[in-house]
């Protein structure tokens, strides 16, 4: 095919995500994540328990063998409430974590693009290192903001009268969790494991949105797919798989640090070393099936909902500015 007959690459227009304000980005990100977690929370409960079974023991436990079997065991023993343990904490956590992570990603990326590429429109620049730094930075902000909620959520999801795994802490609700921790450990108790949370979330954020954007823009630029729900689903699925592979070891470590009532682990590295030494390297991928089973749909749902919530927020902001 001659150069003249080759189709021109489609010019990139600003997306709704690049047009909305910081408050709008935060709102849209939080809304999208909450919608997604409603569907994926039961898998998160199973994942948490799979990561705790066999903790600090050379003898493996297989109470929860896979996500489907795990959900059936929990439903049989604890009912629908057991499958949705920690859901309210998960909602509030998602607003803090994903509102920050997804909401601050575009603003941080635009600042870096303008700094390093001052002569190019910031929304047209797709630089992988900048995308990764933006993802990690926004993820760290979200991890710090959401850490107390993740702590309470983890302990609520691990609690079971029928099958006790790891340390068991019973909270009647989110507020009860806050009060109990504050009374026993003070404000620092709410931030137990925040260093592990930063590592886990930064690693996931560093790959999630960059992979999503690279796949999405690559498919658009090369005319493989048009801007449609199918494009968003494809990009989200690839991003979800990348997140699962990178994040699972740190997710196991975070779950165990958050769930501990004593100080058996001094920090994420100490937990990493002890886990591998006693249980083997494979322990870092405990719950991986549930991780993929949860994070792939969660990523697809979050990023697909995000496209719509960004458009909704942009529409609202445009109407407000018109008036």
């Amino acid at each position: 095919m001659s150069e003249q007959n080759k189709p021109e690459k489609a010019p990139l227009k600003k997306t709704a995500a690049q047009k909305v304000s910081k408050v709008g980005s935060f709102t849209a990100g939080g809304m999208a994540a909450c919608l997604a977690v409603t569907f994926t929370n039961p898998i998160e409960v199973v994942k948490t328990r799979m990561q705790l079974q066999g903790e600090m023991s050379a003898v493996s436990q297989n109470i929860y063998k896979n996500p489907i079997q795990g959900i059936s065991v929990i439903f049989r023993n604890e009912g629908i409430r057991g499958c949705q343990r920690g859901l309210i904490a998960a909602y509030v956590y998602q607003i803090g974590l994903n509102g920050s992570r997804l909401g601050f990603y575009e603003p941080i990326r635009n600042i870096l693009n303008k700094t390093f590429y001052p002569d190019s429109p910031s929304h047209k620049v797709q630089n992988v290192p900048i995308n990764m730094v933006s993802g990690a930075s926004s993820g760290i902000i979200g991890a710090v903001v959401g850490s107390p909620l993740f702590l309470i959520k983890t302990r609520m999801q691990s609690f079971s009268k029928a099958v006790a795994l790891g340390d068991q802490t019973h909270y009647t609700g989110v507020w009860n969790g806050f009060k109990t921790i504050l009374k026993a450990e003070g404000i620092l108790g709410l931030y137990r494991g925040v260093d592990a949370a930063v590592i886990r979330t930064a690693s996931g954020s560093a790959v999630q949105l960059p992979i999503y954007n690279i796949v999405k823009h690559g498919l658009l630029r090369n005319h493989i797919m048009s801007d449609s729900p199918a494009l968003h689903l494809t990009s989200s699925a690839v991003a979800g798989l990348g997140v699962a592979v990178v994040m699972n070891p740190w997710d196991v470590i975070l779950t165990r640090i958050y769930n501990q009532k004593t100080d058996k682990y001094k920090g994420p590295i100490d937990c990493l070393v002890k886990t591998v030494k006693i249980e083997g390297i494979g322990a870092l991928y405990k719950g991986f099936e549930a991780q993929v089973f949860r994070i792939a749909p969660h990523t697809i749902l979050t990023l697909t909902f995000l496209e719509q919530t960004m458009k909704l927020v942009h529409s609202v902001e445009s109407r407000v500015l018109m008036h």
Side-chain angles (χ1 to χ4, degrees), residues 180-202:
T180 304
I181 294 169
L182 282 171
K183 184 177 180 180
E185 305 173 59
I187 191 70
L188 291 178
L190 290 172
Y191 282 90
R192 174 193 287 268
V194 70
D195 48 355
V198 166
I199 296 171
R200 170 194 177 272
T201 309

Side-chain angles (χ1 to χ4, degrees), residues 228-248:
S228 64
L231 172 70
H232 304 153
L233 285 170
T234 302
S235 305
S236 300
V238 177
L241 183 60
V243 169
V245 172
V246 171
M247 199 170 70
N248 200 84

Side-chain angles (χ1 to χ4, degrees), residues 17-18 20-22 25 100-114 134:
Q18 293 163 337
V20 299
S21 66
K22 289 182 180 179
S25 293
S100 297
R101 186 172 67 185
L102 300 173
F104 286 111
Y105 175 78
E106 283 294 343
I108 292 172
R109 194 174 74 87
N110 285 335
I111 289 169
L112 292 175
N113 282 340
K114 286 175 183 177
S134 303

Side-chain angles (χ1 to χ4, degrees), residues 4-251:
Q4 290 182 335
N5 293 331
K6 282 185 178 180
E8 292 183 6
K9 289 182 177 179
L12 290 177
K13 297 179 181 179
K14 275 193 174 185
T15 64
Q18 293 163 337
K19 294 177 183 178
V20 299
S21 66
K22 289 182 180 179
V23 173
S25 293
F26 186 95
T27 303
M31 287 169 60
C34 284
L35 287 168
V37 83
T38 304
F39 296 95
T40 60
N41 191 65
I43 312 169
E44 176 77 7
V45 176
V46 175
K47 177 185 69 70
T48 298
R49 297 185 183 185
M50 288 179 77
Q51 290 174 340
L52 289 170
Q53 62 185 2
E55 182 182 13
M56 300 293 283
S57 172
V59 181
S60 62
Q61 284 181 294
N62 284 301
I63 298 164
Y64 303 108
K65 296 179 175 64
N66 58 63
I68 302 299
Q69 181 265 356
I71 289 175
S72 69
V73 169
I74 294 170
F75 182 77
R76 186 168 63 248
N77 291 330
E78 304 167 54
I80 190 66
R81 290 186 66 180
C83 292
Q84 287 288 14
R85 281 191 186 279
L87 181 61
I88 302 303
Y91 280 151
V92 185
Y93 167 72
Q94 290 295 340
I95 292 170
L97 171 67
N98 286 292
S100 297
R101 186 172 67 185
L102 300 173
F104 286 111
Y105 175 78
E106 283 294 343
I108 292 172
R109 194 174 74 87
N110 285 335
I111 289 169
L112 292 175
N113 282 340
K114 286 175 183 177
T115 302
F116 292 101
Y117 297 93
D119 298 327
S120 301
S122 61
H123 68 280
K124 290 187 178 181
V125 177
Q126 288 298 326
N127 179 278
V128 174
I130 284 178
N131 289 352
M132 290 184 71
V133 170
S134 303
S137 300
S138 56
I140 289 169
I141 293 170
V144 173
V145 170
S147 188
L149 270 303
F150 199 110
L151 171 67
I152 293 168
K153 179 180 75 71
T154 299
R155 292 180 177 180
M156 291 182 75
Q157 290 177 336
S158 69
F159 179 77
S160 172
K161 292 180 179 178
V163 183
L165 293 170
D167 293 341
Q168 293 284 286
T169 309
H170 183 227
Y171 301 136
T172 57
V174 177
W175 182 239
N176 176 253
F178 269 110
K179 289 192 298 182
T180 304
I181 294 169
L182 282 171
K183 184 177 180 180
E185 305 173 59
I187 191 70
L188 291 178
L190 290 172
Y191 282 90
R192 174 193 287 268
V194 70
D195 48 355
V198 166
I199 296 171
R200 170 194 177 272
T201 309
S203 64
S205 298
V207 298
Q208 184 190 41
L209 286 168
I211 291 175
Y212 176 79
N213 280 331
I214 289 165
V215 173
K216 179 182 171 183
H217 288 296
L219 292 172
L220 283 173
R221 282 180 183 278
N222 293 288
H223 305 280
I224 297 171
M225 297 181 77
S226 60
D227 191 358
S228 64
L231 172 70
H232 304 153
L233 285 170
T234 302
S235 305
S236 300
V238 177
L241 183 60
V243 169
V245 172
V246 171
M247 199 170 70
N248 200 84
W250 300 111
D251 198 48

